[in-house]
Amino acid sequence: MSDAESAADGESDAGLEIEVPSDPLAGHPATAYFWGHVAGSGDVSDSEIEVVTNDEESAQVLAAVAGGDVAHETTTRDYAHDTSITRTEDEYTLSIGGDGNAGDDTGDAGLLGRSGALGLPVDGRGNYRFGAFASHDRELLRGLLEGCGTICFKSKSGTVGISFVHDNRELLELAQELIAECPIDAPYDDLSETSSGGYWFGVDDDAAPDFGTWLYEGCEATGLFAPSRRRKLEKSLEQAEAYDE
């Protein structure tokens, strides 16, 4: 469940040293973080995995865990909660497999050493199976939050907001189960529909500071986090504290 201190078995292009297991499906903090990201902002097919992040360092960490190539572009898209608002941001896409590139050292063994998507923690309907990562729920939740979540300071109420947004209702229900089982008491809202046709839910504002702090506690030891997202959390917490003064 916790981020333990890491010895370096893998290294990203950014010079980050990340401990990774030989099996990409093994129960391990790095694989839990990786598959949380894939579920939150990725896509898995029989021959390729793509995962998108707005943080370059996080993209390099994911590449250190599972191999692959990172491409950068600037995109403009609708805001998930309100399609009348657009935002422009950097986007880093990690691609593993496809075009004959296995993305790791498996050679002809297929995608991450598996014959196809069904050999990965994804069932035939595209739902994720995270049983192997049950002992690393913090890293799994952190990957999910960075993949499909938001952190913000709510200026009207002076509180920190943490929410999860995704088109897959079942994935968000799984995120709710993980939050309910974590050591922090963090009530959350029922699922609601977004204006873009997906779903979202938020952690209770009163619980968001403790939940967010727990989520990123100890992450420096492993490097399994997006620095820009942690900075956003820290800034939001500071704004909330200043609001109460």
Side-chain angles (χ1 to χ4, degrees):
M1 181 182 70
S2 62
D3 284 271
E5 292 189 1
S6 303
D9 291 331
E11 184 172 349
S12 74
D13 293 338
L16 297 172
E17 296 181 344
I18 306 297
E19 179 187 347
V20 297
S22 57
D23 185 348
L25 299 185
H28 187 278
T31 53
Y33 178 72
F34 171 78
W35 287 108
H37 256 284
V38 173
S41 61
D43 182 65
V44 179
S45 67
D46 284 342
S47 61
E48 186 174 20
I49 297 173
E50 283 194 350
V51 58
V52 180
T53 175
N54 302 123
D55 187 290
E56 182 177 11
E57 290 187 45
S58 179
Q60 296 297 346
V61 167
L62 297 174
V65 173
D69 300 312
V70 177
H72 169 241
E73 63 179 344
T74 302
T75 63
T76 299
R77 63 181 59 194
D78 294 337
Y79 187 62
H81 291 295
D82 185 349
T83 55
S84 67
I85 302 174
T86 60
R87 57 183 179 183
T88 300
E89 55 192 13
D90 289 320
E91 191 172 88
Y92 301 88
T93 301
L94 170 66
S95 299
I96 303 169
D99 298 326
N101 176 21
D104 57 6
D105 297 326
T106 59
D108 296 330
L111 183 62
L112 295 183
R114 269 68 186 174
S115 60
L118 292 180
L120 304 175
V122 183
D123 65 23
R125 297 176 298 170
N127 296 321
Y128 288 87
R129 303 169 297 185
F130 292 137
F133 315 122
S135 297
H136 309 288
D137 54 350
R138 174 154 49 192
E139 291 80 11
L140 180 57
L141 268 171
R142 191 186 306 143
L144 280 169
L145 178 68
E146 293 178 0
C148 66
T150 60
I151 299 172
C152 66
F153 172 69
K154 300 181 180 181
S155 58
K156 290 184 178 180
S157 59
T159 57
V160 176
I162 296 179
S163 61
F164 293 76
V165 185
H166 204 277
D167 291 339
N168 188 326
R169 183 186 183 97
E170 287 76 17
L171 179 64
L172 294 184
E173 290 173 343
L174 175 59
Q176 290 177 325
E177 292 175 5
L178 290 170
I179 294 171
E181 295 171 358
C182 81
I184 300 300
D185 183 16
Y188 47 79
D189 303 327
D190 293 333
L191 290 180
S192 299
E193 292 189 12
T194 68
S195 58
S196 58
Y199 304 90
W200 76 281
F201 75 92
V203 175
D204 186 273
D205 286 358
D206 291 337
D210 287 343
F211 175 71
T213 299
W214 169 79
L215 201 60
Y216 281 88
E217 183 180 17
C219 63
E220 286 278 6
T222 59
L224 301 171
F225 70 105
S228 62
R229 189 61 63 92
R230 188 179 66 165
R231 287 194 297 269
K232 183 62 179 292
L233 172 66
E234 292 172 344
K235 182 178 179 181
S236 297
L237 291 173
E238 291 173 358
Q239 289 175 298
E241 290 175 359
Y243 186 94
D244 292 333
E245 294 178 355

